[in-house]
Amino acid sequence: KELNLDNPRCFNEKMQWLKLYDRRPEYTMMVDKYKVKEYVAGIIGEKHIIPTLGVWDNPDEIDFDTLPEKFVLKCNHNSGLGMYICRDKSNMDISRIKENLKKGLKEDYFLTGREWPYKNVPRKIIAEKYMSDGDNGLIDYKVHNFNGVPKLILVCKDRFKNSGLTEDFFSTEWEHLNVKRPHRELSEQPIARPGELEKILDFSAWLSQNIPFVRTDFYIINHQVYFSELTFYPASGFETFDPDEWDYKMGEWLVLPKLI
């Protein structure tokens, strides 16, 4: 539908408005997967940060012998391209890993959806500790915060299973909501309310203060909450909702700042 920037009403319209007019320079640091760790640790504590094993400017600097048997490599400025999840070092193809990381470093993530905070992130490669929650894999708890208030939780699970990623929306009281992303399936199994939910919601409120909208993502591993990332424009503001009324309901929750 036609974009109305003069009087945006739905969530996706307001995402585009925020890209254009909410230009706080600290957002660049907050989307930097390397620098954001220190920032978040200062708010919720170092023990909730996934350990960084190394940081490099290019793949040829990486000494793979110094890395553990399991680890994750990724670029700090994009989403996915170049990522390598190592579960067994004996199966590594180092030349291919380096080639993919070089492609990742070249990607201008700003161009895909004009999400300006990514434009000036100093590009790095980071290695992180491999995190797992047993046979279940990692479950993403993506808290949607509107003007500093957590209102909605998107639970993403089974990302690496053959059945494919599932996405379910919950209220902050853990009520399963009647909304979905049309191209994603709901989980076939009930998703239990995590015992750490209140801590996640507290952390989300702290991290989203004075920000019109930000999504705060977490994992829970052995009952310990770990920070994942901050996202200002989920799906770049181009994701539809089923039913469509949720696009407008979320839009009502989001109060845009006044232009000076």
Side-chain angles (χ1 to χ4, degrees):
K1 54 182 176 284
E2 184 176 353
L3 175 63
N4 184 347
L5 287 173
D6 293 325
N7 184 30
R9 294 178 54 228
C10 67
F11 178 73
N12 282 322
E13 281 183 322
K14 291 186 176 183
M15 287 293 99
Q16 311 313 319
W17 190 97
L18 288 170
K19 287 181 195 177
L20 291 169
Y21 301 118
D22 185 30
R23 295 296 187 103
R24 290 165 55 177
E26 60 265 35
Y27 289 177
T28 292
M29 173 273 296
M30 294 168 75
V31 301
D32 183 330
K33 292 177 173 61
Y34 175 56
K35 288 187 177 180
V36 73
K37 292 187 177 190
E38 182 179 0
Y39 168 75
V40 172
I43 297 173
I44 68 173
E46 185 71 34
K47 69 179 181 179
H48 300 290
I49 306 301
I50 296 174
T52 299
L53 305 176
V55 57
W56 306 273
D57 291 322
N58 69 75
D60 294 325
E61 296 175 354
I62 302 172
D63 183 352
F64 285 87
D65 291 336
T66 64
L67 294 174
E69 287 301 308
K70 295 182 179 182
F71 59 89
V72 175
L73 287 171
K74 61 186 178 184
C75 299
N76 68 322
H77 74 291
N78 66 357
S79 179
L81 185 61
M83 176 180 282
Y84 176 68
I85 301 174
C86 179
R87 298 179 178 89
D88 182 356
K89 282 181 77 173
S90 65
N91 292 326
M92 283 193 309
D93 183 340
I94 291 179
S95 61
R96 185 173 181 180
I97 294 170
K98 289 183 177 181
E99 180 182 344
N100 288 335
L101 284 169
K102 287 176 182 177
K103 291 179 181 177
L105 286 176
K106 289 180 180 178
E107 182 182 24
D108 190 341
Y109 199 65
F110 159 73
L111 293 178
T112 60
R114 296 305 193 270
E115 299 179 33
W116 68 268
Y118 293 97
K119 188 174 185 179
N120 295 316
V121 174
R123 299 180 189 183
K124 305 281 185 182
I125 299 165
I126 60 174
E128 291 184 332
K129 181 179 178 180
Y130 178 85
M131 310 295 284
S132 177
D133 194 26
D135 296 335
N136 297 324
L138 289 178
I139 297 177
D140 295 85
Y141 298 91
K142 300 176 179 290
V143 183
H144 294 53
N145 306 283
F146 298 80
N147 305 101
V149 179
K151 301 280 283 187
L152 200 67
I153 306 164
L154 174 62
V155 179
C156 300
K157 60 190 290 285
D158 299 334
R159 188 180 298 275
F160 299 110
K161 287 189 176 182
N162 292 334
S163 56
L165 175 68
T166 64
E167 297 186 345
D168 293 75
F169 285 94
F170 289 83
S171 72
T172 54
E173 288 77 35
W174 210 250
E175 173 193 5
H176 193 280
L177 299 174
N178 181 31
V179 57
K180 69 187 296 285
R181 289 174 164 176
H183 67 289
R184 296 293 188 196
E185 296 300 320
L186 300 175
S187 175
E188 294 182 355
Q189 303 297 325
I191 302 174
R193 175 189 176 115
E196 299 76 15
L197 178 61
E198 292 306 316
K199 180 172 288 187
I200 285 177
L201 294 176
D202 285 343
F203 288 172
S204 296
W206 300 347
L207 291 169
S208 63
Q209 286 304 299
N210 302 313
I211 300 174
F213 176 86
V214 66
R215 198 188 73 203
T216 49
D217 297 1
F218 298 92
Y219 304 118
I220 301 172
I221 302 171
N222 295 326
H223 303 288
Q224 172 77 358
V225 175
Y226 288 93
F227 167 75
S228 173
E229 65 181 15
L230 300 176
T231 299
F232 289 98
Y233 321 102
S236 201
F238 297 117
E239 181 61 88
T240 55
F241 299 93
D242 182 15
D244 187 56
E245 66 189 59
W246 275 91
D247 199 3
Y248 290 88
K249 185 177 184 68
M250 293 167 66
E252 290 176 359
W253 290 340
L254 176 50
V255 179
L256 295 176
K258 295 186 181 298
L259 292 177
I260 298 177

